[in-house]
Amino acid sequence: MFEHLSAVPQDPILAMLASYREDTHPQKIDLGIGVYKNDQGDTPIMRAVQQAEARLLQSETTKSYTAPAGSPVYNERVAALVFGAEHPVLKDRRVVSAQTPGGCGALRMAAEFLRGCSDRSKVWVSTPTWANHMPLLGGAGLQICQYPYYDHDLKAIDFDAMLSALETADRGDIVLLHGCCHNPSGADLNREQWLAVAELMQRKGLIPFVDMAYQGLGSGLDEDAYGLRMLAERFPEMVAATSCSKNFGLYRERTGTLFIIAANAEQAATAGSQLFSKIRSHYSMPPSHGAAIVETILGDPALNQEWQTELGEMRERISGLRQRLVASINASDIDADFSFIERQFGMFSFLGINPQQVERLRLNHSIYMIDSSRMNVAGLNDACMDYFVSALREVLNS
Ligand code: PMP
C-alpha cells in the first residue's frame, strides 16, 4: 500500500537550512532557523547545563522507566518557575503537571486532553501563529479558528480586531495565547491588553491555553510570565504548555511541561488521570535526560544563579541587537521606519519586506530568512551588521 503515498514537501525552514549549509559565501547569514545564537553564530550548551550534566554522570544510578508524568521533582520545580512558587493555584493543588517531550509534546497532549473533554472543541489561534500550532492542535481533532493579531501595515498588534474576533467565540471555546515573545511576530500584549483579553474571555466563558516557549528571553523570567500567571489567578480552568528548549538551550533533549488547571484539587486529580492515560497511549513516558538537567539546575541555588545570569546575557544580547539594528538602519540612507523592531520581544520579528526581496537577500547576499520575512534577530551579530544593512538597502532600493 505504500506505493499510493505521495511525498510531503520538505519543511521550508529545513529546506532553507540545507541551502544555507551548502552556501560558500564567506559573509552568509542564517536568520531562518529558530534557535538562539551567540556572537560567533553558535548555539552553545549553557554553562549551568554543562555542570548539571557532569553531576548527573556521577550521580545517576538507573535508566529504568519513570512514569507518564515524568519526574515529579522536575514538574514541581518547573511549576514554581512558570507560576511563581507562591501562586494560589499551586497552593490549592489545582494544577496537574506533566513533563513532556518538548513544548511540542505539551501542545499535542494538551490538544488530545482537550479533545477528550468535548468532541466539539474549537481552538482560536492568532493570525499569524507558529506554523506548527496547526498540525499539533488540528491533528488531535480540535477545530481551528483564527483571530487577527499582527497587522503587517501597522507593524503591531491590531488589538481591536483581535477583541472583535474573540467576541464571536462560543462559550467553552479555547483561546491559544503566546505567553511572551510571540512567534513569528515578536509583538506581545502589554499588561493592559492582557487584562482586557482576560475580561472578555471571562465574560464569554472562554478557556485560556497559553503557549510559553520563551520564558526569560523577552523581559525577564517573572515579567514574561505575567499573562499566564494573571490568567491562572482568574480562571477556574486553563491549560499551559511550556518549553525548556530555548531558555535552557535543551532543544534536542525534548524537555517541556504541560499544566492543566482545574477548578479544585479533586477535579485536577481526575483531569490528571485522563491526561496520563492519553500520554501512556501516545509515547508512554517522556525522555528523561533534559528534565534531569533542568531539575538539577532549579534545585541548586548556585547553578540556578549561573543559569539565570546566562539567560539574562542572552536576553540582553537579543534586545541589544534589536537596538543596534534599528540604529544602523537609521544611520544608513534607508528611507523607511524599522523602529518597530526595538518595540518587539524575543528572537523573532517580521522584517516587513516582500517575498521577492527576501529572495534577493538570499540569492544576491546569501542572507537567509523565511519568505514571510520572519527573521531570527539572534542570528545577527556586530560583525555582520553593516553587511546586513547594506544588503537590505540594496534590496529596498532596487
Ligand atoms: N511554541 C512555540 C511558539 C515555539 O516557537 C516553539 C519552538 N519553536 C515551541 C512551542 C516548542 O518547541 P519545542 O518542542 O522545541 O520545545
Side-chain angles (χ1 to χ4, degrees), residues 34-35 100-107 129-133 136 176 178-184 211-214 241-246 250-252 254-257 347-348 374:
V35 299
T100 53
C104 287
L107 287 161
T129 195
W130 179 43
N132 215 15
H133 277 147
L136 282 169
L176 183 76
H178 295 225
C180 61
C181 307
H182 184 269
N183 180 6
D211 177 12
M212 186 163 68
Y214 300 90
T242 70
S243 167
C244 300
S245 298
K246 318 281 159 145
L250 285 173
Y251 310 88
R252 65 173 67 166
R254 312 309 302 131
T255 312
T257 323
M347 301 203 298
F348 305 116
R374 185 202 80 164

Side-chain angles (χ1 to χ4, degrees), residues 62-387:
T62 182
K63 296 286 185 193
S64 180
Y65 291 122
T66 56
S71 159
V73 179
Y74 164 89
N75 285 332
E76 197 178 304
R77 289 181 184 161
V78 174
L81 178 71
V82 167
F83 292 95
E86 304 301 319
H87 199 290
V89 284
L90 297 179
K91 296 206 150 155
D92 297 342
R93 311 196 71 74
R94 287 174 45 213
V95 184
V96 177
S97 316
Q99 173 202 327
T100 53
C104 287
L107 287 161
R108 181 53 176 247
M109 292 320 300
E112 296 287 347
F113 170 81
L114 291 165
R115 177 70 177 71
C117 296
S118 156
D119 58 7
R120 287 177 302 129
S121 300
K122 277 189 276 168
V123 60
W124 290 74
V125 304
S126 63
T127 304
T129 195
W130 179 43
N132 215 15
H133 277 147
M134 312 295 186
L136 282 169
L137 306 181
L142 296 184
Q143 188 190 324
I144 310 247
C145 304
Q146 290 176 282
Y147 59 85
Y149 188 78
Y150 187 76
D151 183 313
H152 289 274
D153 295 327
L154 292 174
K155 316 263 189 231
I157 301 170
D158 185 348
F159 192 59
D160 290 341
M162 174 181 177
L163 291 189
S164 305
L166 292 179
E167 284 289 353
T168 69
D170 295 319
R171 177 163 289 274
D173 282 1
I174 302 145
V175 180
L176 183 76
L177 297 158
H178 295 225
C180 61
C181 307
H182 184 269
N183 180 6
S185 73
D188 283 348
L189 297 172
N190 62 32
R191 292 189 176 199
E192 204 182 307
Q193 291 171 326
W194 272 110
L195 289 168
V197 170
E199 183 281 318
L200 182 156
M201 289 179 58
Q202 274 181 305
R203 177 163 47 76
K204 296 208 49 101
L206 310 180
I207 297 176
F209 181 172
V210 178
D211 177 12
M212 186 163 68
Y214 300 90
Q215 186 184 8
L217 286 164
S219 310
L221 282 168
D222 291 325
E223 292 82 346
D224 291 347
Y226 167 79
L228 181 150
R229 292 176 184 179
M230 179 275 295
L231 293 172
E233 273 178 30
R234 282 158 201 249
F235 283 77
E237 295 179 347
M238 167 174 161
V239 292
T242 70
S243 167
C244 300
S245 298
K246 318 281 159 145
N247 55 5
F248 285 86
L250 285 173
Y251 310 88
R252 65 173 67 166
E253 301 294 355
R254 312 309 302 131
T255 312
T257 323
L258 168 57
F259 300 101
I260 294 174
I261 301 172
N264 57 48
E266 197 190 337
Q267 287 179 23
T270 310
S273 72
Q274 288 283 343
L275 173 67
F276 302 144
S277 114
K278 295 245 181 279
I279 290 175
R280 183 84 175 122
S281 65
H282 278 76
Y283 53 83
S284 185
M285 53 191 71
S288 130
H289 186 63
I293 294 168
V294 171
E295 167 179 328
T296 305
I297 294 173
L298 295 179
D300 179 294
L303 279 186
N304 194 336
Q305 190 50 56
E306 175 81 57
W307 167 66
Q308 291 201 25
T309 303
E310 190 168 356
L311 180 62
E313 290 162 10
M314 290 159 66
R315 175 172 66 244
E316 273 152 36
R317 194 181 109 73
I318 296 172
S319 58
L321 281 168
R322 288 181 173 279
Q323 286 159 15
R324 290 199 292 287
L325 174 58
V326 174
S328 303
I329 292 174
N330 288 345
S332 74
D333 59 359
I334 292 175
D335 183 22
D337 181 10
F338 282 88
S339 61
F340 62 91
I341 292 173
E342 271 179 312
R343 295 190 289 276
Q344 297 172 347
F345 297 91
M347 301 203 298
F348 305 116
S349 277
F350 287 114
L351 192 53
I353 60 175
N354 63 40
Q356 293 73 35
Q357 292 168 324
V358 170
E359 190 180 22
R360 278 183 72 90
L361 275 183
R362 183 168 65 246
L363 296 180
N364 298 356
H365 305 280
S366 295
I367 297 172
Y368 292 72
M369 65 182 69
I370 51 181
D371 284 351
S372 63
S373 88
R374 185 202 80 164
M375 60 184 277
N376 175 9
V377 179
L380 292 170
N381 55 54
D382 289 336
C384 73
M385 194 65 87
D386 289 345
Y387 175 70

